[in-house]
Amino acid sequence: MGSCWEGIDESRLLIAPVPGANGDGSARFLSLRHPKSGVRTSYLLCNGLLQELHWFKQPYGSWFLGDYVSEDGSLYTATPIDPVFIMLPLFEDARMKKGDDPGKFRQLDEILFVNDYPGYQQLFSIAKDCMEIVCESKEIGSTKFFRLDDKKVFAWLHYKVCQLKQTLPALDQNYAAREEKDTLADSVSILGEYLKDDPWLKLLCDHFKLNLPEAKRIAADIEVCPSAIESPVGSSNFSQQGKNTSEKKTGRNVKQAKKVKVETESRNIKEMFTRASRRRN
């Protein structure tokens, strides 16, 4: 998605869906809370689908972006994420459950109103379509109300675990040789990257008779592409136009890759795209 903007410090490469290819033609960056940590994180809403941003960098590499060479060979990708994960904490808080009381029904616009996070308002139509899978709903006149349902949430999570458990052996032959319980633990721990420990991850571990600390440790050992909140972007712009010129070095002369500096906020990503867009216009 996008073109190459020049003159803003340095360029970055983003691989993302092209707006309008299979959707409504719109694309925007949203600042939302990470569903597990609550940290401000950037997401891409493109063609009506929510995408999470990932960052990848090889020790040696660069990009040719038109007539410009980006010495930093890092790569940003946008991949689909189930919006239910993103909105689950909001719906959990909104029902104000206490003990055995199932909580209150709330209007969708009330649930999606979060101070300092206007991006949730952009997810109204998505939430309206997808959250009934984990919520009870009722209509009074023309107004619809939602309340998170524990049984529906667990059924949805159970289905996700089973799907992932079947998919992992097909993605990596190492999983095919592992015991079923280990693959199950990995599946739960991967989902745990998007779930708060209490109650949902704990609920899954109890159901599948897994040790919660062990499941969290497995998740930490899994090699995944860092999310947008961990990417050292600074003030940069992005492009999809380019090719990688990675250098392959072997032997004792190989230098150890420099440790990447980690950002604690992802707001700069959104600001970077905003500045780049204004520059282009």
Side-chain angles (χ1 to χ4, degrees), residues 158-193:
H158 188 278
Y159 172 75
K160 290 286 187 182
V161 171
C162 293
Q163 267 196 325
L164 196 53
K165 180 185 170 185
Q166 293 178 356
T167 302
L168 287 177
L171 294 177
D172 190 333
Q173 60 181 1
N174 292 327
Y175 277 104
R178 301 188 66 184
E179 294 185 6
E180 182 178 353
K181 186 175 182 179
D182 292 334
T183 304
L184 176 63
D186 285 352
S187 301
V188 172
S189 65
I190 291 173
L191 290 183
E193 291 295 294

Side-chain angles (χ1 to χ4, degrees), residues 111-136:
I111 298 173
L112 297 180
F113 179 80
V114 183
N115 287 330
D116 299 325
Y117 289 89
Y120 285 106
Q121 300 294 317
Q122 305 296 327
L123 302 179
F124 186 91
S125 60
I126 294 179
K128 187 177 181 181
D129 293 334
C130 74
M131 289 308 291
E132 287 203 49
I133 195 171
V134 292
C135 290
E136 297 178 78

